[in-house]
Amino acid sequence: MSIPKEISVAEKILRVVFHPMNFNSSMKLKSNSFKSKPGEDEVSVIRFDFCDANFCKKYGKEIQNPYNRRNFCGFALLNAKEVFECDAEIEFTPRKTSNPYHADIKIGFIAEQGKQLPAEFQFKVDEMTRKARFYEDQNPDSTKWEGKENIE
């Protein structure tokens, strides 16, 4: 299947999230879930319309790092329209060997190490976090997705 370069407003955009780094004490997503690393303007996401939850879980488990508080626990989902409404962009950036469905959310700003984002860019990140729907995997140690069947 050929994946179009253009991202439709109706597409499901999925972010793999990790426990405990992406959650507060009430198990709500923290805004770091949609914040780039210092020196970058890219948050890795998956174009979910072109794959399935088992692929996303497998990828999430490959990039988890329990020693750095990055234990796979599920997905945060946005529609592309919601990302665009936050004045952010999505760029298709496939990784041919590991993730042909890979894309990056870009907010238009590269943060420096140890410095907060300017308010207008932090607002974009906070809005995406607020709009995202969290889907928890009930058995993160298994190889198959064991959360809600319908990820919408």
Side-chain angles (χ1 to χ4, degrees):
M1 169 201 278
S2 178
I3 303 169
K5 188 173 176 143
E6 178 101 7
I7 297 183
S8 157
V9 295
E11 271 189 55
K12 294 177 186 170
I13 304 298
L14 183 143
R15 172 91 168 137
V16 174
V17 289
F18 303 98
H19 187 268
M21 76 174 288
N22 293 134
F23 295 89
N24 65 22
S25 59
S26 303
M27 280 305 288
K28 286 193 162 210
L29 280 176
K30 290 178 14 183
S31 63
N32 72 353
S33 302
F34 291 96
K35 185 177 177 186
S36 299
K37 295 180 207 170
E40 297 180 359
D41 180 14
E42 55 190 50
V43 172
S44 292
V45 291
I46 301 171
R47 296 177 72 186
F48 189 62
D49 289 7
F50 300 98
C51 59
D52 64 16
N54 287 324
F55 171 86
C56 296
K57 179 174 182 173
K58 179 178 183 267
Y59 182 73
K61 289 180 67 74
E62 287 172 5
I63 63 172
Q64 76 178 345
N65 185 341
Y67 300 106
N68 285 333
R69 299 171 34 98
R70 286 176 50 100
N71 298 293
F72 170 81
C73 69
F75 311 129
L77 185 81
L78 291 162
N79 293 325
K81 179 182 181 193
E82 294 170 308
V83 175
F84 300 145
E85 288 171 346
C86 294
D87 196 24
E89 297 177 9
I90 308 168
E91 181 180 324
F92 184 37
T93 53
R95 297 187 173 153
K96 294 192 187 325
T97 56
S98 64
N99 185 351
Y101 317 105
H102 186 273
D104 289 304
I105 294 176
K106 297 177 177 267
I107 62 168
F109 187 83
I110 298 174
E112 295 179 42
Q113 181 73 38
K115 293 190 178 179
Q116 290 188 340
L117 288 172
E120 68 185 277
F121 297 101
Q122 185 62 51
F123 181 77
K124 294 178 185 189
V125 171
D126 291 344
E127 280 296 289
M128 284 187 279
T129 304
R130 185 184 65 74
K131 291 178 180 205
R133 279 125 5 244
F134 172 56
Y135 292 87
E136 183 177 9
D137 190 305
Q138 299 302 311
N139 186 3
D141 293 329
S142 78
T143 57
K144 300 260 186 225
W145 170 248
E146 295 188 32
K148 239 180 159 176
E149 278 188 45
N150 295 326
I151 297 178
E152 352 188 16

